Amino acid sequence: MIKLKVIHGPFSGQEFELTTDRFMIGRTNDNHLVIPDIMVSRHHAYINFENGHYILIDQSKNGIRVNGKLTKRFILAHDAQMEIGPCILHFLSA
């Protein structure tokens, strides 16, 4: 089971299961994970399942940090830490 766990910010402590090949993250209600904050773009990022890997793709102007580094595209591994606006998320793959 693949999940994102919110460890800081809105929805802290909640987990969101990745149930589609494209999991959308952003400020508007048409995303799978909605982060209601002005620092989060309407469609900030998505996680794609490609060739057996989960890949985080940033499509915002504000950026995303993964494991402390600013990135536009990142192959996620278990316990990767993502910072999107005021949220810190952990990618859980086990």
Side-chain angles (χ1 to χ4, degrees):
M1 186 178 310
I2 307 299
K3 299 179 186 179
L4 291 179
K5 182 174 184 177
V6 182
I7 60 167
H8 179 75
F11 312 111
S12 186
Q14 291 188 24
E15 294 180 351
F16 295 85
E17 189 174 346
L18 278 67
T19 58
T20 64
D21 287 343
R22 178 173 281 197
F23 185 88
M24 304 294 297
I25 303 168
R27 191 175 68 231
T28 59
N29 289 332
D30 59 342
N31 292 284
H32 296 98
L33 173 53
V34 177
I35 303 172
D37 189 274
I38 194 74
M39 293 302 294
V40 177
S41 298
R42 288 177 289 138
H43 299 106
H44 199 97
Y46 57 93
I47 298 172
N48 259 5
F49 184 69
E50 300 175 12
N51 300 319
H53 299 283
Y54 287 90
I55 302 171
L56 175 69
I57 301 167
D58 177 23
Q59 53 186 19
S60 73
K61 293 182 181 174
N62 292 332
I64 294 176
R65 291 189 180 276
V66 179
N67 299 330
K69 296 182 181 179
L70 196 61
T71 187
K72 290 301 256 179
R73 183 178 173 90
F74 192 88
I75 298 174
L76 295 168
H78 178 71
D79 212 29
Q81 180 175 295
M82 296 168 271
E83 298 174 43
I84 301 175
C87 283
I88 299 174
L89 311 165
H90 271 169
F91 177 77
L92 305 173
S93 62

